């Protein structure tokens, strides 16, 4: 299914010179996927739970959401809504930090290993 | 005090400035955009912050600025519920799609699907999903534009729609995604500034204590305590949950938003653009809430009639109350810039589906030149724009705009999002699954909206085809159906999975190895050496 060089308007280019199957099975790539999942899966479950908790309360418990919180004028509903903003920013910033420090170096290593394997295979076939 | 019916000279002058600036940008862009990568992806040369502003400009429609503030003015809490969903949705985009889209795509979301699936059917399905979402969203924006411009400037509805459409087409034909991106960046800047100035002004006027906003607003509302509680606008609990689901997953299926990730050089810039967008959009929605309450506290019940049934004119009224006619005209001009930036983003994504997916890769099977592809894209942009103008004018002012925006999000969440996510993460996923999933997602969300109480049997009706079905938002049914369609189609078909292309897509999407390179394009020139020395780009450089 590799695209030919002449088909300029085609979709994204394939790179048959790389052994993608080996790259996918390399310990470096597996490590990247494992570490990324260890953050993204729990973080996604958490934000969906926090968000739907809020939406379900808004739908089914309007009186609870209308209760006064700490001071007159502020309600539980608004505090929970604002907590969604804080959650979005905090989780986003946390992910950015993890990605810069942890995922990017791992991804670069996995890519490098795959590239090197591709070059060696090319060298052997000559 | 009310938005007047005769032509408002001040507002017209502000509109002319907005149009003038954006046309100059498009002219500059037109001299630099040559290749298809320039046209659809702005040469992949935008920085993270630039693309963050552009995403914010692409996403925050006049419906968010005037519409949400208006909903909050009229109904209090429930308007805020929309804002929360619109913002949290970006976590879905950040965690699941942004970087993967940048690493694996080229110009359209169909590129990602067709990379590992059978080219023709996968592209056709993705193009269908894209065009359906864009159709509903675009027509909603055009009708909204017509109503607003007519109300704020006094130009007739049909002429307002025609002018909006004409400018949007001009940006795209001249400067493609480069012009569109800069129109969106400037619009986001204008919108944030306008919202900030107004918010500070409102806070000063009520005495400086933000808590007084809640107290004063409650005191000015006929609903009293209920104004600060959910339920005034969204009264069916399950419908509220369904809306929330559609909002939080729909953004991750909006083609014009996902397409923005192709405009940056790498995955790092893609995720930083989401972070910038989240900060801007979050701050914006906090301010819109303050403005909605401010309108309630300052205008009171006296403004309800002039604000209109959906409250769209509450903010212009508030601006008039604060700073007189000139300030109202400036806010109207910002709202106009807002609409232009959103519709341009929508049309360029639709032009990608028509020219790159349908024409180049289905009709011409990838054999045409880039030059032909860009030409077809421009023709497609004119055609799509013309169709949208005609439908918006014929549909008229009474078309229910908010339901069409809701429908666009529902289709995006039910058709595009499941297929994209599964193509990138599920090894067994196949072409049959993608096609059935997209079809089931599109058909179920459209059909459920048609039989819903807000649409059946006529516009703005209170009926519904079946008495037991009372949801206005189809998401809670149509999104699971989209996923089930993908799964059932996959497990029931005997199609062989291309293991190798999945490995390639999977490794590429996670590492960026083999990702499409940029052309070094910027608005002010073209830099040499778009690629640096790191491994992924080195490969992309040698691959051509």
């Amino acid at each position: 299914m590799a695209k030919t060089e002449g088909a300029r308007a085609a979709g994204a280019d394939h790179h048959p010179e790389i052994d993608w199957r080996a790259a996918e099975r390399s310990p470096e790539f597996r490590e990247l996927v494992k570490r990324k999942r260890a953050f993204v899966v729990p973080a996604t479950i958490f934000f969906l739970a926090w968000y739907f908790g809020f939406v379900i309360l808004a739908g089914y418990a309007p009186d609870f959401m209308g209760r006064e919180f700490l001071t007159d004028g502020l309600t539980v509903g608004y505090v929970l809504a604002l907590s969604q903003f804080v959650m979005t920013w905090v989780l986003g910033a946390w992910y950015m930090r993890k990605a810069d420090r942890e995922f990017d170096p791992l991804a670069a290593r996995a890519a490098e290993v795959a590239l090197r394997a591709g070059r060696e295979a090319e060298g052997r076939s000559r | 005090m009310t938005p007047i019916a005769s032509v408002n000279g001040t507002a017209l002058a502000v509109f002319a400035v907005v149009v003038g600036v954006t046309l100059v940008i498009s002219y500059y862009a037109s001299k630099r955009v040559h290749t298809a990568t320039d046209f659809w992806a702005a040469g992949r040369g935008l920085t993270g912050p630039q693309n963050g502003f552009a995403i914010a400009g692409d996403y925050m429609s006049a419906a968010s600025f005037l519409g949400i503030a208006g909903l909050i003015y009229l109904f209090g809490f429930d308007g805020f519920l929309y804002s929360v969903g619109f913002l949290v949705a970006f976590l879905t985009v950040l965690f699941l799609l942004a970087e993967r889209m940048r690493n694996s795509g080229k110009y359209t979301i169909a590129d990602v699907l067709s990379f590992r699936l059978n080219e023709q059917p996968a592209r056709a399905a993705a193009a269908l999903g894209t065009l359906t979402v864009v159709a509903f969203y675009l027509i909603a924006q055009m009708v909204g534009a017509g109503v607003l411009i007519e109300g704020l400037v006094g130009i007739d509805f049909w002429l307002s729609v025609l002018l909006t459409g004409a400018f949007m087409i001009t940006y795209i034909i001249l400067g493609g995604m480069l012009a569109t991106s800069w129109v969106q960046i400037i619009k986001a800047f204008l919108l944030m500034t306008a919202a900030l100035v107004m918010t500070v002004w409102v806070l000063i006027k009520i005495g400086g204590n933000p808590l007084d906003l809640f107290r004063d607003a409650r005191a000015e509302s006929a609903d009293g305590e209920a104004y600060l509680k959910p339920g005034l606008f969204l009264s069916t609990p399950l419908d509220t949950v369904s809306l929330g689901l559609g909002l939080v997953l729909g953004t991750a299926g909006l083609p014009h938003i996902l397409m923005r990730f192709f405009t940056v050089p790498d995955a790092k810039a893609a995720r930083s653009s989401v972070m910038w967008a989240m900060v801007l959009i979050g701050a914006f929605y906090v301010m819109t809430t303050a403005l909605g309450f401010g309108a309630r506290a300052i205008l009171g019940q006296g403004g309800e009639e002039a604000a209109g049934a959906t409250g769209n004119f509450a903010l212009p009224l508030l601006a008039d109350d604060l700073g007189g006619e000139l300030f109202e005209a400036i806010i109207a001009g910002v709202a106009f810039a807002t609409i232009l930036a959103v519709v341009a983003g929508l049309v360029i994504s639709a032009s990608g589906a028509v020219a790159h997916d349908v024409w180049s890769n289905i009709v011409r099977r990838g054999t045409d030149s880039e030059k032909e592809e860009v030409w077809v894209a421009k023709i497609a942009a004119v055609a799509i724009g013309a169709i949208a103008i005609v439908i918006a004018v014929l549909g008229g002012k009474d078309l229910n705009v908010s339901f069409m925006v809701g429908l666009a999000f529902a289709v995006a969440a039910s058709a595009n999002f499941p297929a994209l996510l599964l193509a990138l993460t599920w090894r067994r996923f196949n072409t049959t699954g993608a096609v059935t999933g997209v079809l089931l997602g599109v058909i179920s969300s459209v059909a459920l909206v048609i039989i819903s109480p807000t649409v059946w049997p006529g516009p703005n009706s209170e009926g519904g085809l079946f008495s037991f079905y009372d949801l206005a938002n189809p998401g809670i049914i149509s999104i699971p159906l989209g996923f089930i369609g993908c799964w059932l189609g996959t497990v029931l078909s005997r199609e062989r999975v291309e293991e190798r292309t999945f490995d390639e897509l999977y490794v590429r999407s996670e590492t960026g190895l083999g990702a499409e390179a940029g052309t070094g394009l910027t608005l002010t020139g073209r830099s040499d050496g778009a690629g640096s020395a790191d491994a992924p780009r080195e490969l992309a450089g040698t691959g051509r």
Side-chain angles (χ1 to χ4, degrees):
Chain A
M1 283 267 292
K3 310 274 181 338
T4 54
E5 283 289 314
R8 297 189 56 208
D13 285 329
H14 286 252
H15 293 277
E17 70 275 19
I18 301 237
D19 186 348
W20 294 103
R21 192 181 156 85
E24 199 268 337
R25 292 179 178 189
S26 73
E28 288 79 7
F29 183 73
R30 288 291 159 92
E31 175 75 8
L32 167 71
V33 170
K34 201 179 102 191
R35 295 266 210 99
K36 226 170 166 175
R37 255 185 217 157
F39 178 84
V40 166
V41 172
T44 303
I45 292 171
F46 175 80
F47 94 74
L48 287 178
W50 192 248
Y51 173 71
F52 281 106
F54 165 74
V55 170
I56 288 167
L57 281 176
Y60 290 92
D63 290 329
F64 169 74
M65 298 296 255
R67 251 185 230 171
E68 187 182 306
F69 187 83
L70 292 178
T71 172
D72 179 46
L74 198 61
T75 62
V76 173
Y78 275 98
V79 173
L80 283 179
L82 288 171
S83 80
Q84 304 283 328
F85 284 68
V86 176
M87 171 194 74
T88 306
W89 289 327
V90 168
L91 279 183
W94 191 1
Y95 177 79
M96 298 294 289
R97 205 179 129 104
K98 290 278 270 187
D100 281 341
R101 295 186 178 186
E102 196 177 326
F103 307 148
D104 274 3
L106 282 171
R109 248 179 61 208
E112 201 187 313
V113 167
L115 261 186
R116 208 186 303 134
R119 282 203 201 100
E120 279 161 14
E122 218 169 273
R124 273 198 302 278
S125 67
R126 262 180 210 150
Chain B
M1 172 99 188
T2 52
I4 40 165
S6 60
V7 173
N8 177 337
T10 324
L12 200 61
V14 176
F15 278 42
V17 172
V18 169
V19 168
V21 170
T22 49
L23 286 181
V24 168
I25 289 173
S26 305
Y27 171 74
Y28 269 97
S30 72
K31 294 197 288 188
R32 311 199 189 284
V33 169
H34 302 293
T35 65
T37 305
D38 295 343
F39 183 81
W40 276 307
R44 311 194 202 284
L46 262 60
T47 65
Q50 284 169 353
N51 195 39
F53 269 82
I55 292 172
D58 207 5
Y59 191 64
M60 298 184 294
S61 61
S64 332
F65 183 43
L66 305 182
I68 289 186
L71 277 182
I72 291 172
Y73 167 68
L74 291 176
F75 304 105
F77 188 91
D78 286 349
F80 200 28
L81 204 76
Y82 279 87
S83 319
V84 170
F86 283 140
L87 176 69
V88 174
F90 275 91
L91 284 177
T92 319
V93 176
L94 178 66
F95 289 164
L96 301 179
L97 286 182
E99 293 166 83
R100 288 172 173 153
M101 291 300 288
R102 171 57 190 93
N103 282 339
S104 44
K106 195 176 180 187
Y107 309 134
T108 65
I109 58 178
D111 287 329
V112 178
L113 292 186
S114 66
F115 193 86
R116 63 168 291 207
L117 304 174
N118 285 336
E119 178 102 33
Q120 321 269 329
R123 269 195 200 275
L128 172 75
T130 297
L131 291 173
T132 314
V133 172
V134 170
F136 291 124
Y137 212 127
L138 183 60
I139 291 162
Q141 295 292 328
M142 300 283 277
V143 170
V147 172
L148 279 175
I149 298 170
E150 186 182 60
L152 297 169
V153 190
I155 304 173
D156 273 359
F157 174 79
W158 69 270
L159 187 59
S160 306
V161 171
L162 185 68
L163 287 173
T164 307
F167 293 128
M168 135 192 118
I169 293 170
T170 311
Y171 303 146
I172 292 170
I173 291 185
L174 284 177
M177 184 56 111
L178 186 63
T180 304
S181 301
W182 282 97
V183 168
Q184 289 168 345
I185 291 169
I186 290 176
K187 160 267 178 89
F189 180 77
L190 286 177
L191 188 60
M192 295 304 291
T193 312
L196 183 64
V197 169
M198 250 181 123
T199 305
V200 171
W201 206 328
V202 163
L203 284 178
I204 291 170
K205 185 145 181 171
I206 60 149
N209 181 357
L211 283 173
D212 281 338
L213 266 183
F214 294 102
R215 296 177 191 138
D216 293 0
R218 184 183 53 194
E220 288 294 333
S221 165
D223 299 304
E225 290 292 336
Y227 185 73
L228 297 183
K229 286 201 295 197
L232 287 181
F233 182 67
L234 303 162
S235 48
T236 316
L238 192 62
D239 214 10
T240 306
V241 177
S242 187
L243 169 74
L245 191 63
L247 294 180
V248 85
L249 300 182
T251 306
L254 291 177
H256 63 300
I257 297 295
L258 295 175
M259 191 182 187
R260 291 232 51 90
F261 296 118
F262 304 137
T263 67
V264 291
D266 52 28
K268 189 177 164 72
R271 67 170 181 262
S272 101
S273 60
V274 184
M275 192 66 218
W276 275 92
M278 289 199 306
V279 170
L280 290 168
I281 293 168
F284 174 76
Y285 283 129
V286 170
M287 293 191 287
T288 0
T289 312
L291 291 177
F293 279 119
R296 172 55 64 182
I298 292 168
L299 302 173
Q301 291 170 42
E304 279 179 21
E305 204 185 318
T310 50
N312 274 335
F313 291 105
L315 271 196
L317 283 171
L318 177 65
D320 184 62
D321 191 275
L322 292 171
E325 198 197 348
L326 179 65
F327 193 54
E328 185 187 354
I330 290 173
I331 294 301
V334 171
F336 181 54
T338 288
I339 295 168
L340 287 178
V342 174
V343 291
L346 286 166
V347 171
I348 200 161
S349 69
S351 86
V354 172
H356 180 64
D357 297 335
V358 176
W359 178 258
S360 291
N361 284 296
I362 296 180
V363 178
R364 302 273 269 145
R365 299 192 170 243
T367 56
D368 60 333
S369 66
E370 266 196 24
K371 206 173 164 187
E372 176 180 324
E373 191 174 36
V374 173
W375 265 105
V376 176
K378 291 182 178 178
I379 296 167
V382 176
I384 295 158
I387 295 170
I389 291 170
V390 171
I391 296 181
V393 170
L394 290 181
K397 295 177 236 191
D398 298 328
L399 213 63
N400 186 331
V401 171
S402 59
F403 111 78
M404 293 191 79
V405 170
L407 184 52
F409 270 81
V411 174
S414 320
N416 300 352
F417 176 67
L420 272 177
L421 185 67
L422 294 175
L424 286 162
T425 55
W426 188 27
R427 180 174 291 274
R428 274 196 67 192
F429 191 49
N430 63 25
T431 313
T432 319
V435 172
T436 41
V438 169
L439 283 179
L440 202 57
V442 169
I443 294 170
S444 65
S445 41
V446 174
L448 286 172
V449 167
I450 290 176
I451 64 162
S452 74
T454 36
V455 177
W456 193 274
N460 302 313
S461 59
E462 288 293 330
L465 184 56
F466 305 110
S467 55
F468 61 87
Y469 185 77
D470 61 353
L471 295 181
N473 298 286
I476 202 160
I477 298 173
S478 64
I479 296 169
L481 279 179
F483 276 103
I484 289 170
C486 288
W487 175 74
L488 267 185
T490 299
V491 296
L492 292 183
S493 75
R494 296 215 188 126
E495 186 190 327
R496 224 183 89 251
V497 180
E498 289 259 5
E499 291 268 351
R500 210 195 69 87
T501 47
F502 175 73
D503 284 334
E504 177 166 8
L505 180 67
Y506 190 35
V507 174
R508 174 175 170 154
S509 69
E510 298 287 355
T511 64
L513 182 64
E516 300 287 316
T519 63
L521 178 75
T522 65
L523 191 60
T524 49
R526 192 180 291 269
S527 66
D528 300 321
S532 60
D534 57 296
R537 233 103 43 91
E538 182 189 328
L539 175 80
T542 53
R544 39 191 68 220

